[in-house]
Amino acid sequence: MVMILFSGLGILWANNEAVAAESYIQRVADEVSSANLRTDVLDAEVDQAKKDGYTLSYDVMDDNHGVRHYVVLKLQYQYKVSVAALSGTHEKTMTVY
């Protein structure tokens, strides 16, 4: 019975990590979009993500004339279910226009 309780709590905690990562990448996407996809803002967000315990990277999609059309954000975060000793790195991706 106790094991079931702790397993449930572990799963809830892991879900909270996923929800937090989703909120984080959405906030970053809003900032980047508001800044018109500027590289300096992207680089600042990468640095801040590292401080916040995430790994953020991005791919810039420019056309042949150097016009930036969109950015693909990739946020990696740790996902853990402690009771089952399951863990791993998960990734959320978001496209910003």
Side-chain angles (χ1 to χ4, degrees):
M1 181 66 137
V2 173
M3 187 64 156
I4 292 172
L5 174 65
F6 284 118
S7 294
L9 290 174
I11 291 168
L12 286 174
W13 182 258
N15 184 59
N16 287 344
E17 291 172 347
V19 169
E22 183 68 35
S23 295
Y24 194 91
I25 197 170
Q26 184 61 58
R27 184 200 58 77
V28 170
D30 291 344
E31 291 287 328
V32 169
S33 180
S34 294
N36 295 318
L37 313 178
R38 287 191 353 242
T39 302
D40 62 324
V41 173
L42 286 160
D43 291 340
E45 291 292 346
V46 168
D47 292 341
Q48 185 60 47
K50 191 172 192 176
K51 293 175 187 172
D52 294 339
Y54 295 105
T55 301
L56 180 68
S57 61
Y58 61 89
D59 293 319
V60 175
M61 303 303 168
D62 294 339
D63 64 15
N64 292 337
H65 305 288
V67 176
R68 186 158 296 172
H69 289 282
Y70 62 95
V71 173
V72 177
L73 300 173
K74 296 174 188 169
L75 183 72
Q76 292 183 339
Y77 64 98
Q78 292 299 311
Y79 188 87
K80 300 173 189 167
V81 179
S82 59
V83 174
L86 298 174
S87 67
T89 301
H90 287 256
E91 184 174 279
K92 293 205 177 275
T93 303
M94 185 171 286
T95 304
V96 183
Y97 297 94

